[in-house]
Amino acid sequence: MRDPNVSLIVAVSENNVIGNQGGMPWHLSADLKRFRQLTTGHHIVLGRRTFDSIGRLLPERTTIIVTRNRNFHFPGAVVVSSLAIALSAAAGDDQPFVIGGAEIYQAALEHLQTMYLTRVHAEVAGDTFLPEIEWALWTLVESERFGADRKNDFDYSFELYRRSGT
């Protein structure tokens, strides 16, 4: 069952890497600004390991952490045991964002309406990968490419996808 308002946001390299050793394997200032602009005022849904890599609540967002650890708590966050419960907790939001990691992305694929990708135009070492996406189900509606500079390690593109037929 797809929820009409659920969005995914991720930065991904040419070889499908989204993380390395609990962090991002690049620094893209523009991607961080875009992430903040898009997610501010919304619910963000993430796994506990992704939350640990961030290490704090992000301001002006409602943080929903999905974890199997029933003893995990973090003041100010909503902690749930499944993606389904997380999406229910975000039901009042007109656009909740799934922000990672790989397991949460995989579980969310069937619920998504929109994907915001930052394509990092490089192959990088990593240990966490974006799950396989059935691209035939998606339409690229916006794409803008940018060059590397002193604040952005690599060339990158901002891409917006919508589920086809919706």
Side-chain angles (χ1 to χ4, degrees):
M1 152 179 72
R2 185 171 65 247
D3 300 59
N5 58 346
V6 178
S7 296
L8 173 148
I9 189 165
V10 66
V12 58
S13 70
E14 297 288 345
N15 56 328
N16 230 29
V17 169
I18 61 172
N20 191 31
Q21 299 179 349
M24 292 179 9
W26 49 70
H27 177 75
L28 295 172
S29 180
D31 176 59
L32 297 174
K33 287 178 185 172
R34 179 181 188 233
F35 176 89
R36 182 177 6 160
Q37 175 210 359
L38 289 168
T39 62
T40 294
H42 294 284
H43 290 69
I44 54 173
V45 177
L46 68 162
R48 193 223 10 106
R49 287 187 303 248
T50 300
F51 177 75
D52 288 347
S53 75
I54 296 170
R56 63 184 175 87
L57 297 176
L58 298 177
E60 302 177 62
R61 283 155 272 204
T62 301
T63 301
I64 304 175
I65 304 167
V66 181
T67 180
R68 292 179 197 93
N69 180 348
R70 295 181 186 273
N71 296 318
F72 181 83
H73 299 284
F74 194 91
V78 177
V79 179
V80 299
S81 60
S82 72
L83 179 66
I85 296 170
L87 294 178
S88 291
D93 189 339
D94 65 348
Q95 188 176 29
F97 283 86
V98 177
I99 70 165
E103 285 184 53
I104 301 299
Y105 286 143
Q106 180 67 50
L109 286 175
E110 67 182 279
H111 299 276
L112 299 175
Q113 177 70 26
T114 307
M115 292 192 297
Y116 295 90
L117 270 64
T118 298
R119 292 261 187 215
V120 180
H121 297 296
E123 293 199 5
V124 299
D127 55 18
T128 309
F129 299 87
L130 186 66
E132 285 296 317
I133 294 174
E134 195 173 339
W135 290 106
L137 300 176
W138 296 91
T139 301
L140 177 63
V141 294
E142 289 179 22
S143 181
E144 189 172 3
R145 188 174 177 124
F146 303 90
D149 58 29
R150 63 183 179 81
K151 291 185 175 183
N152 298 282
D153 292 345
F154 299 105
D155 290 356
Y156 60 96
S157 295
F158 291 152
E159 299 176 350
L160 170 61
Y161 291 85
R162 297 225 190 270
R163 189 175 289 274
S164 300
T166 58

